[in-house]
Amino acid sequence: MSSFKSISGTFDILPDGETSGGDTIAPSRDWQRVEQAIRKVMQAYGAEEIRTPILEPTELISRGVGQLTDIVSKEMFAFERGNTNYVLRPEMTAPVMRAYQQHHLDQKGGVQRLYYIGPCFRAERPQKGRYRQFHQFGLEIIGASDARADAETIVCAVDIYRALGLDNFTIRLNSLGDAESRPRYKQALIEFITPFADQLSEVSRNRLESNPMRILDTKSEKEQSLLVGAPKLADYIDEESKAHHNEVKAYLDAVGIKYVDDPFLVRGLDYYSRTAFEIESDTLGSQGSLAGGGRYDLLSTELGAKQVIPAVGFAAGMERLLMALEAANLSGGEKTRLDAFLVAMGDAAINWTFPTARSLRDLGLDVAYDLKGRSMKAQLREANRQNARFMVIVGDEELASGTAQVKDMDQSSQKTVSFDQLANELKR
Ligand code: AMP
């Protein structure tokens, strides 16, 4: 066996799943089932897939996501080669906006609805539900400032969860206002917090000047109690943003989507303005954030566009979704079935398996056989392991008469079938 192991915080996705540091990683068929559901719902929203490189210029992320965010300040897998700085993408919104601008997708007219599914990388401390290589899926609606676009991203995420049977989650919603609202609010927060700053943790104290809104995210009960009565962002945002926020809520109300107004929700990425939201699992506990998103009209110009390109989107964790499905007993994707497993006895029958499997596969059947010349018993065991519907047993006698013994594994019945009828029998 190899002396190498996958890097801590990364994992393999195996046919029957794996256990990684006490965490259960779902079988690959569960990933496929979830991916199919995502694609189906995205299609229903008129979204088309975008695939961008895993490697991006580091500056795209530091400029796009923001220098002061955790992602950029301490979680990037970045390296230099020649004169270029590369980063393994930690998120997908900045790369999608880069691609949109690079390929002038705005010239296609109208609004672009782009969705993605793929791996992202963050140098976090690995723990349950928090990995160094994880997978995000998401939707970006680019080119629309209409409040329906904000509501639609939220509803789209909800529809994906519901398509999979999941509905025990809470949507938290806030408005971050326009580009001027936040500096105004930041100043008010600094003034409120400074008198008791010495009672804060070191992490929070360090955030006071640079990013005081992140202090509001604190999980410490002591800090939370100190923050009671802190100024609310809602009181500092501009009138237009307020009206936009009310419109988003009215659209959600119109389709019966419940949400909680959370005036302290700021999210850890710098590019959001106006709408910010988070979808939290009611069952997953500390790593319960299923998805987050919001409006990011400020990102386009940050990346060099001459005019603001209004945009809104969500990003969701695949691992978190799979964990939530398992917690709700909804994960059980059935193991895929083979139509037939060919069981060969003797050299002539072994030679028969190869062309026979090929022609049965040509007819649309899923077929496998033993590749190791093993005993009959071992072949039967393998057929069972692979969950075959039929076992097709052939030895010298069968070859001579042009027939096979076909065993129906569900009915436990067996019959003799001529070779020319074999495909029909297996297709039943
Ligand atoms: P973010 O891009 O930080 O807003 O994250 C969006 C979603 O991605 C979160 O709600 C999580 O579901 C998921 N996520 C973020 N970071 C990780 C991670 N390190 N491991 C697993 N899932 C993650």
PDB file of all heavy atoms in Angstrom, residues 11-14 17-18 24-38 117-119 131 133-136 164 317-320 322 325 331 333:
ATOM      1  N   PHE A  11     -10.096  15.318   0.491  1.00  0.00           N
ATOM      2  CA  PHE A  11     -10.616  13.945   0.592  1.00  0.00           C
ATOM      3  C   PHE A  11     -10.880  13.370  -0.786  1.00  0.00           C
ATOM      4  O   PHE A  11     -10.946  14.099  -1.783  1.00  0.00           O
ATOM      5  CB  PHE A  11     -11.918  13.917   1.418  1.00  0.00           C
ATOM      6  CG  PHE A  11     -12.932  14.908   0.934  1.00  0.00           C
ATOM      7  CD1 PHE A  11     -13.774  14.597  -0.136  1.00  0.00           C
ATOM      8  CD2 PHE A  11     -13.040  16.163   1.516  1.00  0.00           C
ATOM      9  CE1 PHE A  11     -14.692  15.512  -0.609  1.00  0.00           C
ATOM     10  CE2 PHE A  11     -13.964  17.095   1.046  1.00  0.00           C
ATOM     11  CZ  PHE A  11     -14.786  16.768  -0.015  1.00  0.00           C
ATOM     12  N   ASP A  12     -10.997  12.038  -0.824  1.00  0.00           N
ATOM     13  CA  ASP A  12     -11.366  11.354  -2.060  1.00  0.00           C
ATOM     14  C   ASP A  12     -12.865  11.106  -2.046  1.00  0.00           C
ATOM     15  O   ASP A  12     -13.451  10.861  -0.991  1.00  0.00           O
ATOM     16  CB  ASP A  12     -10.625  10.015  -2.146  1.00  0.00           C
ATOM     17  CG  ASP A  12      -9.118  10.206  -2.117  1.00  0.00           C
ATOM     18  OD1 ASP A  12      -8.615  10.994  -2.932  1.00  0.00           O
ATOM     19  OD2 ASP A  12      -8.453   9.577  -1.271  1.00  0.00           O
ATOM     20  N   ILE A  13     -13.465  11.154  -3.208  1.00  0.00           N
ATOM     21  CA  ILE A  13     -14.888  10.830  -3.328  1.00  0.00           C
ATOM     22  C   ILE A  13     -14.959   9.452  -3.969  1.00  0.00           C
ATOM     23  O   ILE A  13     -14.645   9.295  -5.148  1.00  0.00           O
ATOM     24  CB  ILE A  13     -15.625  11.888  -4.173  1.00  0.00           C
ATOM     25  CG1 ILE A  13     -15.440  13.277  -3.546  1.00  0.00           C
ATOM     26  CG2 ILE A  13     -17.109  11.540  -4.306  1.00  0.00           C
ATOM     27  CD1 ILE A  13     -15.904  14.420  -4.437  1.00  0.00           C
ATOM     28  N   LEU A  14     -15.312   8.449  -3.188  1.00  0.00           N
ATOM     29  CA  LEU A  14     -15.231   7.056  -3.639  1.00  0.00           C
ATOM     30  C   LEU A  14     -16.618   6.503  -3.969  1.00  0.00           C
ATOM     31  O   LEU A  14     -17.628   7.041  -3.502  1.00  0.00           O
ATOM     32  CB  LEU A  14     -14.597   6.207  -2.533  1.00  0.00           C
ATOM     33  CG  LEU A  14     -13.200   6.638  -2.071  1.00  0.00           C
ATOM     34  CD1 LEU A  14     -12.720   5.748  -0.920  1.00  0.00           C
ATOM     35  CD2 LEU A  14     -12.209   6.582  -3.220  1.00  0.00           C
ATOM     36  N   GLY A  17     -18.191   5.917  -0.774  1.00  0.00           N
ATOM     37  CA  GLY A  17     -17.940   6.934   0.247  1.00  0.00           C
ATOM     38  C   GLY A  17     -16.675   6.629   1.033  1.00  0.00           C
ATOM     39  O   GLY A  17     -16.043   5.600   0.840  1.00  0.00           O
ATOM     40  N   GLU A  18     -16.319   7.524   1.922  1.00  0.00           N
ATOM     41  CA  GLU A  18     -15.151   7.286   2.782  1.00  0.00           C
ATOM     42  C   GLU A  18     -15.335   8.026   4.092  1.00  0.00           C
ATOM     43  O   GLU A  18     -16.211   8.880   4.234  1.00  0.00           O
ATOM     44  CB  GLU A  18     -13.844   7.741   2.110  1.00  0.00           C
ATOM     45  CG  GLU A  18     -13.657   9.240   2.071  1.00  0.00           C
ATOM     46  CD  GLU A  18     -12.190   9.698   2.174  1.00  0.00           C
ATOM     47  OE1 GLU A  18     -11.359   9.014   2.793  1.00  0.00           O
ATOM     48  OE2 GLU A  18     -11.890  10.773   1.664  1.00  0.00           O
ATOM     49  N   THR A  24     -17.861  11.771   7.431  1.00  0.00           N
ATOM     50  CA  THR A  24     -18.265  10.857   6.374  1.00  0.00           C
ATOM     51  C   THR A  24     -18.362  11.625   5.073  1.00  0.00           C
ATOM     52  O   THR A  24     -19.037  12.651   5.008  1.00  0.00           O
ATOM     53  CB  THR A  24     -19.651  10.265   6.690  1.00  0.00           C
ATOM     54  OG1 THR A  24     -19.606   9.807   8.031  1.00  0.00           O
ATOM     55  CG2 THR A  24     -19.983   9.105   5.777  1.00  0.00           C
ATOM     56  N   ILE A  25     -17.658  11.157   4.058  1.00  0.00           N
ATOM     57  CA  ILE A  25     -17.753  11.775   2.746  1.00  0.00           C
ATOM     58  C   ILE A  25     -18.696  10.910   1.915  1.00  0.00           C
ATOM     59  O   ILE A  25     -18.503   9.704   1.791  1.00  0.00           O
ATOM     60  CB  ILE A  25     -16.363  11.856   2.063  1.00  0.00           C
ATOM     61  CG1 ILE A  25     -15.354  12.576   2.974  1.00  0.00           C
ATOM     62  CG2 ILE A  25     -16.480  12.544   0.708  1.00  0.00           C
ATOM     63  CD1 ILE A  25     -15.690  14.017   3.302  1.00  0.00           C
ATOM     64  N   ALA A  26     -19.708  11.526   1.348  1.00  0.00           N
ATOM     65  CA  ALA A  26     -20.762  10.778   0.648  1.00  0.00           C
ATOM     66  C   ALA A  26     -20.195  10.032  -0.561  1.00  0.00           C
ATOM     67  O   ALA A  26     -19.204  10.457  -1.158  1.00  0.00           O
ATOM     68  CB  ALA A  26     -21.847  11.748   0.204  1.00  0.00           C
ATOM     69  N   PRO A  27     -20.834   8.902  -0.921  1.00  0.00           N
ATOM     70  CA  PRO A  27     -20.425   8.158  -2.119  1.00  0.00           C
ATOM     71  C   PRO A  27     -20.570   9.010  -3.388  1.00  0.00           C
ATOM     72  O   PRO A  27     -21.407   9.915  -3.436  1.00  0.00           O
ATOM     73  CB  PRO A  27     -21.417   6.990  -2.180  1.00  0.00           C
ATOM     74  CG  PRO A  27     -22.144   6.977  -0.908  1.00  0.00           C
ATOM     75  CD  PRO A  27     -21.993   8.306  -0.250  1.00  0.00           C
ATOM     76  N   SER A  28     -19.779   8.687  -4.396  1.00  0.00           N
ATOM     77  CA  SER A  28     -19.800   9.504  -5.618  1.00  0.00           C
ATOM     78  C   SER A  28     -21.196   9.545  -6.245  1.00  0.00           C
ATOM     79  O   SER A  28     -21.578  10.541  -6.851  1.00  0.00           O
ATOM     80  CB  SER A  28     -18.767   9.005  -6.627  1.00  0.00           C
ATOM     81  OG  SER A  28     -18.886   7.621  -6.829  1.00  0.00           O
ATOM     82  N   ARG A  29     -21.982   8.469  -6.072  1.00  0.00           N
ATOM     83  CA  ARG A  29     -23.324   8.497  -6.694  1.00  0.00           C
ATOM     84  C   ARG A  29     -24.210   9.568  -6.041  1.00  0.00           C
ATOM     85  O   ARG A  29     -25.055  10.166  -6.696  1.00  0.00           O
ATOM     86  CB  ARG A  29     -23.990   7.115  -6.638  1.00  0.00           C
ATOM     87  CG  ARG A  29     -24.208   6.577  -5.257  1.00  0.00           C
ATOM     88  CD  ARG A  29     -24.925   5.232  -5.250  1.00  0.00           C
ATOM     89  NE  ARG A  29     -24.988   4.721  -3.914  1.00  0.00           N
ATOM     90  CZ  ARG A  29     -24.010   4.061  -3.309  1.00  0.00           C
ATOM     91  NH1 ARG A  29     -22.897   3.806  -3.952  1.00  0.00           N
ATOM     92  NH2 ARG A  29     -24.132   3.642  -2.063  1.00  0.00           N
ATOM     93  N   ASP A  30     -23.999   9.827  -4.746  1.00  0.00           N
ATOM     94  CA  ASP A  30     -24.767  10.894  -4.086  1.00  0.00           C
ATOM     95  C   ASP A  30     -24.363  12.267  -4.637  1.00  0.00           C
ATOM     96  O   ASP A  30     -25.201  13.151  -4.825  1.00  0.00           O
ATOM     97  CB  ASP A  30     -24.534  10.879  -2.574  1.00  0.00           C
ATOM     98  CG  ASP A  30     -25.260   9.734  -1.891  1.00  0.00           C
ATOM     99  OD1 ASP A  30     -25.858   8.906  -2.619  1.00  0.00           O
ATOM    100  OD2 ASP A  30     -25.233   9.652  -0.651  1.00  0.00           O
ATOM    101  N   TRP A  31     -23.066  12.437  -4.883  1.00  0.00           N
ATOM    102  CA  TRP A  31     -22.594  13.694  -5.485  1.00  0.00           C
ATOM    103  C   TRP A  31     -23.244  13.875  -6.849  1.00  0.00           C
ATOM    104  O   TRP A  31     -23.712  14.954  -7.195  1.00  0.00           O
ATOM    105  CB  TRP A  31     -21.069  13.684  -5.642  1.00  0.00           C
ATOM    106  CG  TRP A  31     -20.338  13.848  -4.344  1.00  0.00           C
ATOM    107  CD1 TRP A  31     -20.219  12.912  -3.358  1.00  0.00           C
ATOM    108  CD2 TRP A  31     -19.641  15.011  -3.879  1.00  0.00           C
ATOM    109  NE1 TRP A  31     -19.493  13.427  -2.312  1.00  0.00           N
ATOM    110  CE2 TRP A  31     -19.117  14.697  -2.606  1.00  0.00           C
ATOM    111  CE3 TRP A  31     -19.407  16.263  -4.412  1.00  0.00           C
ATOM    112  CZ2 TRP A  31     -18.374  15.613  -1.865  1.00  0.00           C
ATOM    113  CZ3 TRP A  31     -18.656  17.182  -3.679  1.00  0.00           C
ATOM    114  CH2 TRP A  31     -18.153  16.852  -2.419  1.00  0.00           C
ATOM    115  N   GLN A  32     -23.282  12.782  -7.622  1.00  0.00           N
ATOM    116  CA  GLN A  32     -23.861  12.869  -8.971  1.00  0.00           C
ATOM    117  C   GLN A  32     -25.337  13.243  -8.897  1.00  0.00           C
ATOM    118  O   GLN A  32     -25.825  14.063  -9.671  1.00  0.00           O
ATOM    119  CB  GLN A  32     -23.725  11.530  -9.698  1.00  0.00           C
ATOM    120  CG  GLN A  32     -22.314  11.253 -10.156  1.00  0.00           C
ATOM    121  CD  GLN A  32     -22.172   9.871 -10.772  1.00  0.00           C
ATOM    122  OE1 GLN A  32     -23.133   9.101 -10.822  1.00  0.00           O
ATOM    123  NE2 GLN A  32     -20.980   9.553 -11.221  1.00  0.00           N
ATOM    124  N   ARG A  33     -26.037  12.619  -7.955  1.00  0.00           N
ATOM    125  CA  ARG A  33     -27.477  12.872  -7.840  1.00  0.00           C
ATOM    126  C   ARG A  33     -27.715  14.353  -7.499  1.00  0.00           C
ATOM    127  O   ARG A  33     -28.579  15.013  -8.083  1.00  0.00           O
ATOM    128  CB  ARG A  33     -28.051  11.987  -6.729  1.00  0.00           C
ATOM    129  CG  ARG A  33     -29.555  12.003  -6.601  1.00  0.00           C
ATOM    130  CD  ARG A  33     -29.980  10.986  -5.574  1.00  0.00           C
ATOM    131  NE  ARG A  33     -29.583  11.389  -4.239  1.00  0.00           N
ATOM    132  CZ  ARG A  33     -30.376  11.996  -3.365  1.00  0.00           C
ATOM    133  NH1 ARG A  33     -31.626  12.258  -3.689  1.00  0.00           N
ATOM    134  NH2 ARG A  33     -29.950  12.347  -2.165  1.00  0.00           N
ATOM    135  N   VAL A  34     -26.917  14.873  -6.577  1.00  0.00           N
ATOM    136  CA  VAL A  34     -27.063  16.280  -6.190  1.00  0.00           C
ATOM    137  C   VAL A  34     -26.706  17.190  -7.373  1.00  0.00           C
ATOM    138  O   VAL A  34     -27.400  18.168  -7.660  1.00  0.00           O
ATOM    139  CB  VAL A  34     -26.188  16.580  -4.952  1.00  0.00           C
ATOM    140  CG1 VAL A  34     -26.074  18.078  -4.706  1.00  0.00           C
ATOM    141  CG2 VAL A  34     -26.764  15.885  -3.727  1.00  0.00           C
ATOM    142  N   GLU A  35     -25.630  16.843  -8.082  1.00  0.00           N
ATOM    143  CA  GLU A  35     -25.236  17.660  -9.234  1.00  0.00           C
ATOM    144  C   GLU A  35     -26.334  17.677 -10.297  1.00  0.00           C
ATOM    145  O   GLU A  35     -26.623  18.714 -10.897  1.00  0.00           O
ATOM    146  CB  GLU A  35     -23.924  17.139  -9.835  1.00  0.00           C
ATOM    147  CG  GLU A  35     -22.702  17.518  -9.009  1.00  0.00           C
ATOM    148  CD  GLU A  35     -21.473  16.648  -9.275  1.00  0.00           C
ATOM    149  OE1 GLU A  35     -21.493  15.866 -10.254  1.00  0.00           O
ATOM    150  OE2 GLU A  35     -20.521  16.734  -8.505  1.00  0.00           O
ATOM    151  N   GLN A  36     -26.958  16.516 -10.501  1.00  0.00           N
ATOM    152  CA  GLN A  36     -28.045  16.464 -11.499  1.00  0.00           C
ATOM    153  C   GLN A  36     -29.204  17.363 -11.089  1.00  0.00           C
ATOM    154  O   GLN A  36     -29.778  18.077 -11.911  1.00  0.00           O
ATOM    155  CB  GLN A  36     -28.547  15.034 -11.678  1.00  0.00           C
ATOM    156  CG  GLN A  36     -27.703  14.251 -12.678  1.00  0.00           C
ATOM    157  CD  GLN A  36     -27.871  12.745 -12.522  1.00  0.00           C
ATOM    158  OE1 GLN A  36     -28.761  12.277 -11.820  1.00  0.00           O
ATOM    159  NE2 GLN A  36     -26.997  11.989 -13.170  1.00  0.00           N
ATOM    160  N   ALA A  37     -29.538  17.328  -9.789  1.00  0.00           N
ATOM    161  CA  ALA A  37     -30.643  18.168  -9.305  1.00  0.00           C
ATOM    162  C   ALA A  37     -30.292  19.645  -9.498  1.00  0.00           C
ATOM    163  O   ALA A  37     -31.129  20.456  -9.910  1.00  0.00           O
ATOM    164  CB  ALA A  37     -30.931  17.874  -7.837  1.00  0.00           C
ATOM    165  N   ILE A  38     -29.033  19.996  -9.203  1.00  0.00           N
ATOM    166  CA  ILE A  38     -28.602  21.396  -9.367  1.00  0.00           C
ATOM    167  C   ILE A  38     -28.758  21.812 -10.836  1.00  0.00           C
ATOM    168  O   ILE A  38     -29.337  22.851 -11.148  1.00  0.00           O
ATOM    169  CB  ILE A  38     -27.132  21.567  -8.925  1.00  0.00           C
ATOM    170  CG1 ILE A  38     -27.000  21.340  -7.423  1.00  0.00           C
ATOM    171  CG2 ILE A  38     -26.592  22.947  -9.321  1.00  0.00           C
ATOM    172  CD1 ILE A  38     -25.567  21.175  -6.934  1.00  0.00           C
ATOM    173  N   ILE A 117     -20.375  24.617 -10.892  1.00  0.00           N
ATOM    174  CA  ILE A 117     -20.165  23.592  -9.854  1.00  0.00           C
ATOM    175  C   ILE A 117     -18.678  23.268  -9.921  1.00  0.00           C
ATOM    176  O   ILE A 117     -18.201  22.929 -11.013  1.00  0.00           O
ATOM    177  CB  ILE A 117     -20.941  22.286 -10.128  1.00  0.00           C
ATOM    178  CG1 ILE A 117     -22.422  22.548 -10.396  1.00  0.00           C
ATOM    179  CG2 ILE A 117     -20.746  21.285  -8.992  1.00  0.00           C
ATOM    180  CD1 ILE A 117     -23.224  21.286 -10.736  1.00  0.00           C
ATOM    181  N   GLY A 118     -17.947  23.360  -8.826  1.00  0.00           N
ATOM    182  CA  GLY A 118     -16.528  23.027  -8.926  1.00  0.00           C
ATOM    183  C   GLY A 118     -15.785  23.214  -7.623  1.00  0.00           C
ATOM    184  O   GLY A 118     -16.318  23.773  -6.662  1.00  0.00           O
ATOM    185  N   PRO A 119     -14.525  22.743  -7.589  1.00  0.00           N
ATOM    186  CA  PRO A 119     -13.731  22.826  -6.367  1.00  0.00           C
ATOM    187  C   PRO A 119     -13.195  24.228  -6.096  1.00  0.00           C
ATOM    188  O   PRO A 119     -12.884  24.971  -7.025  1.00  0.00           O
ATOM    189  CB  PRO A 119     -12.568  21.855  -6.631  1.00  0.00           C
ATOM    190  CG  PRO A 119     -12.448  21.810  -8.106  1.00  0.00           C
ATOM    191  CD  PRO A 119     -13.821  22.043  -8.672  1.00  0.00           C
ATOM    192  N   TYR A 131     -13.223  22.362   4.939  1.00  0.00           N
ATOM    193  CA  TYR A 131     -12.130  21.676   4.261  1.00  0.00           C
ATOM    194  C   TYR A 131     -11.216  22.671   3.572  1.00  0.00           C
ATOM    195  O   TYR A 131     -11.542  23.844   3.444  1.00  0.00           O
ATOM    196  CB  TYR A 131     -12.694  20.694   3.225  1.00  0.00           C
ATOM    197  CG  TYR A 131     -13.684  19.738   3.817  1.00  0.00           C
ATOM    198  CD1 TYR A 131     -15.047  20.009   3.774  1.00  0.00           C
ATOM    199  CD2 TYR A 131     -13.247  18.590   4.471  1.00  0.00           C
ATOM    200  CE1 TYR A 131     -15.961  19.148   4.353  1.00  0.00           C
ATOM    201  CE2 TYR A 131     -14.152  17.722   5.051  1.00  0.00           C
ATOM    202  CZ  TYR A 131     -15.516  18.014   5.000  1.00  0.00           C
ATOM    203  OH  TYR A 131     -16.398  17.169   5.583  1.00  0.00           O
ATOM    204  N   GLN A 133      -9.891  21.759   0.412  1.00  0.00           N
ATOM    205  CA  GLN A 133     -10.501  21.684  -0.924  1.00  0.00           C
ATOM    206  C   GLN A 133     -11.950  21.307  -0.713  1.00  0.00           C
ATOM    207  O   GLN A 133     -12.258  20.243  -0.177  1.00  0.00           O
ATOM    208  CB  GLN A 133      -9.815  20.643  -1.819  1.00  0.00           C
ATOM    209  CG  GLN A 133     -10.564  20.493  -3.145  1.00  0.00           C
ATOM    210  CD  GLN A 133      -9.850  19.681  -4.200  1.00  0.00           C
ATOM    211  OE1 GLN A 133      -8.675  19.356  -4.063  1.00  0.00           O
ATOM    212  NE2 GLN A 133     -10.548  19.345  -5.255  1.00  0.00           N
ATOM    213  N   PHE A 134     -12.842  22.189  -1.106  1.00  0.00           N
ATOM    214  CA  PHE A 134     -14.271  21.914  -0.981  1.00  0.00           C
ATOM    215  C   PHE A 134     -14.919  22.278  -2.300  1.00  0.00           C
ATOM    216  O   PHE A 134     -14.242  22.706  -3.237  1.00  0.00           O
ATOM    217  CB  PHE A 134     -14.876  22.693   0.199  1.00  0.00           C
ATOM    218  CG  PHE A 134     -14.733  24.182   0.073  1.00  0.00           C
ATOM    219  CD1 PHE A 134     -15.804  24.961  -0.336  1.00  0.00           C
ATOM    220  CD2 PHE A 134     -13.525  24.804   0.341  1.00  0.00           C
ATOM    221  CE1 PHE A 134     -15.678  26.342  -0.474  1.00  0.00           C
ATOM    222  CE2 PHE A 134     -13.385  26.183   0.198  1.00  0.00           C
ATOM    223  CZ  PHE A 134     -14.457  26.948  -0.210  1.00  0.00           C
ATOM    224  N   HIS A 135     -16.217  22.090  -2.390  1.00  0.00           N
ATOM    225  CA  HIS A 135     -16.880  22.287  -3.675  1.00  0.00           C
ATOM    226  C   HIS A 135     -18.026  23.275  -3.533  1.00  0.00           C
ATOM    227  O   HIS A 135     -18.811  23.166  -2.600  1.00  0.00           O
ATOM    228  CB  HIS A 135     -17.386  20.949  -4.221  1.00  0.00           C
ATOM    229  CG  HIS A 135     -16.279  19.967  -4.450  1.00  0.00           C
ATOM    230  ND1 HIS A 135     -15.645  19.319  -3.412  1.00  0.00           N
ATOM    231  CD2 HIS A 135     -15.662  19.571  -5.582  1.00  0.00           C
ATOM    232  CE1 HIS A 135     -14.684  18.562  -3.902  1.00  0.00           C
ATOM    233  NE2 HIS A 135     -14.668  18.676  -5.209  1.00  0.00           N
ATOM    234  N   GLN A 136     -18.080  24.185  -4.440  1.00  0.00           N
ATOM    235  CA  GLN A 136     -19.193  25.141  -4.427  1.00  0.00           C
ATOM    236  C   GLN A 136     -20.019  25.010  -5.698  1.00  0.00           C
ATOM    237  O   GLN A 136     -19.491  24.714  -6.768  1.00  0.00           O
ATOM    238  CB  GLN A 136     -18.662  26.581  -4.347  1.00  0.00           C
ATOM    239  CG  GLN A 136     -18.188  26.977  -2.965  1.00  0.00           C
ATOM    240  CD  GLN A 136     -17.960  28.480  -2.832  1.00  0.00           C
ATOM    241  OE1 GLN A 136     -17.810  29.188  -3.822  1.00  0.00           O
ATOM    242  NE2 GLN A 136     -17.936  28.966  -1.602  1.00  0.00           N
ATOM    243  N   LEU A 164     -34.284  18.396  -3.561  1.00  0.00           N
ATOM    244  CA  LEU A 164     -33.639  17.239  -2.932  1.00  0.00           C
ATOM    245  C   LEU A 164     -34.356  16.817  -1.649  1.00  0.00           C
ATOM    246  O   LEU A 164     -33.927  15.904  -0.951  1.00  0.00           O
ATOM    247  CB  LEU A 164     -32.175  17.580  -2.636  1.00  0.00           C
ATOM    248  CG  LEU A 164     -31.308  17.685  -3.902  1.00  0.00           C
ATOM    249  CD1 LEU A 164     -30.061  18.513  -3.636  1.00  0.00           C
ATOM    250  CD2 LEU A 164     -30.940  16.299  -4.411  1.00  0.00           C
ATOM    251  N   GLY A 317     -22.180  25.431  -0.513  1.00  0.00           N
ATOM    252  CA  GLY A 317     -21.234  24.336  -0.315  1.00  0.00           C
ATOM    253  C   GLY A 317     -21.863  22.990  -0.638  1.00  0.00           C
ATOM    254  O   GLY A 317     -22.939  22.677  -0.148  1.00  0.00           O
ATOM    255  N   MET A 318     -21.169  22.215  -1.465  1.00  0.00           N
ATOM    256  CA  MET A 318     -21.662  20.860  -1.787  1.00  0.00           C
ATOM    257  C   MET A 318     -21.578  19.949  -0.565  1.00  0.00           C
ATOM    258  O   MET A 318     -22.499  19.174  -0.291  1.00  0.00           O
ATOM    259  CB  MET A 318     -20.803  20.230  -2.896  1.00  0.00           C
ATOM    260  CG  MET A 318     -21.126  20.681  -4.276  1.00  0.00           C
ATOM    261  SD  MET A 318     -22.706  20.009  -4.858  1.00  0.00           S
ATOM    262  CE  MET A 318     -22.228  18.387  -5.366  1.00  0.00           C
ATOM    263  N   GLU A 319     -20.430  20.031   0.141  1.00  0.00           N
ATOM    264  CA  GLU A 319     -20.241  19.139   1.291  1.00  0.00           C
ATOM    265  C   GLU A 319     -21.314  19.395   2.336  1.00  0.00           C
ATOM    266  O   GLU A 319     -21.879  18.457   2.906  1.00  0.00           O
ATOM    267  CB  GLU A 319     -18.855  19.349   1.915  1.00  0.00           C
ATOM    268  CG  GLU A 319     -17.688  18.853   1.070  1.00  0.00           C
ATOM    269  CD  GLU A 319     -17.323  19.787  -0.077  1.00  0.00           C
ATOM    270  OE1 GLU A 319     -17.931  20.885  -0.168  1.00  0.00           O
ATOM    271  OE2 GLU A 319     -16.446  19.428  -0.877  1.00  0.00           O
ATOM    272  N   ARG A 320     -21.591  20.684   2.572  1.00  0.00           N
ATOM    273  CA  ARG A 320     -22.610  21.036   3.583  1.00  0.00           C
ATOM    274  C   ARG A 320     -23.972  20.492   3.170  1.00  0.00           C
ATOM    275  O   ARG A 320     -24.746  20.022   3.994  1.00  0.00           O
ATOM    276  CB  ARG A 320     -22.704  22.550   3.735  1.00  0.00           C
ATOM    277  CG  ARG A 320     -21.409  23.213   4.091  1.00  0.00           C
ATOM    278  CD  ARG A 320     -21.112  23.081   5.572  1.00  0.00           C
ATOM    279  NE  ARG A 320     -19.775  23.584   5.855  1.00  0.00           N
ATOM    280  CZ  ARG A 320     -19.505  24.868   6.111  1.00  0.00           C
ATOM    281  NH1 ARG A 320     -20.482  25.759   6.147  1.00  0.00           N
ATOM    282  NH2 ARG A 320     -18.281  25.244   6.354  1.00  0.00           N
ATOM    283  N   LEU A 322     -24.563  17.889   1.243  1.00  0.00           N
ATOM    284  CA  LEU A 322     -24.571  16.432   1.399  1.00  0.00           C
ATOM    285  C   LEU A 322     -24.690  16.045   2.875  1.00  0.00           C
ATOM    286  O   LEU A 322     -25.371  15.078   3.231  1.00  0.00           O
ATOM    287  CB  LEU A 322     -23.311  15.828   0.770  1.00  0.00           C
ATOM    288  CG  LEU A 322     -23.366  15.820  -0.765  1.00  0.00           C
ATOM    289  CD1 LEU A 322     -21.975  15.775  -1.374  1.00  0.00           C
ATOM    290  CD2 LEU A 322     -24.194  14.639  -1.274  1.00  0.00           C
ATOM    291  N   LEU A 325     -28.271  16.594   3.915  1.00  0.00           N
ATOM    292  CA  LEU A 325     -29.135  15.530   3.385  1.00  0.00           C
ATOM    293  C   LEU A 325     -28.992  14.277   4.246  1.00  0.00           C
ATOM    294  O   LEU A 325     -29.981  13.621   4.576  1.00  0.00           O
ATOM    295  CB  LEU A 325     -28.771  15.217   1.931  1.00  0.00           C
ATOM    296  CG  LEU A 325     -29.151  16.293   0.907  1.00  0.00           C
ATOM    297  CD1 LEU A 325     -28.573  15.966  -0.467  1.00  0.00           C
ATOM    298  CD2 LEU A 325     -30.673  16.443   0.814  1.00  0.00           C
ATOM    299  N   SER A 331     -30.140  11.148   2.099  1.00  0.00           N
ATOM    300  CA  SER A 331     -28.983  10.977   1.213  1.00  0.00           C
ATOM    301  C   SER A 331     -29.096   9.746   0.338  1.00  0.00           C
ATOM    302  O   SER A 331     -28.556   9.715  -0.748  1.00  0.00           O
ATOM    303  CB  SER A 331     -27.698  10.923   2.025  1.00  0.00           C
ATOM    304  OG  SER A 331     -27.792   9.917   2.980  1.00  0.00           O
ATOM    305  N   GLY A 333     -28.994   7.773  -2.039  1.00  0.00           N
ATOM    306  CA  GLY A 333     -29.001   7.447  -3.462  1.00  0.00           C
ATOM    307  C   GLY A 333     -28.754   5.948  -3.604  1.00  0.00           C
ATOM    308  O   GLY A 333     -27.839   5.421  -2.980  1.00  0.00           O
TER     309      GLY A 333
END
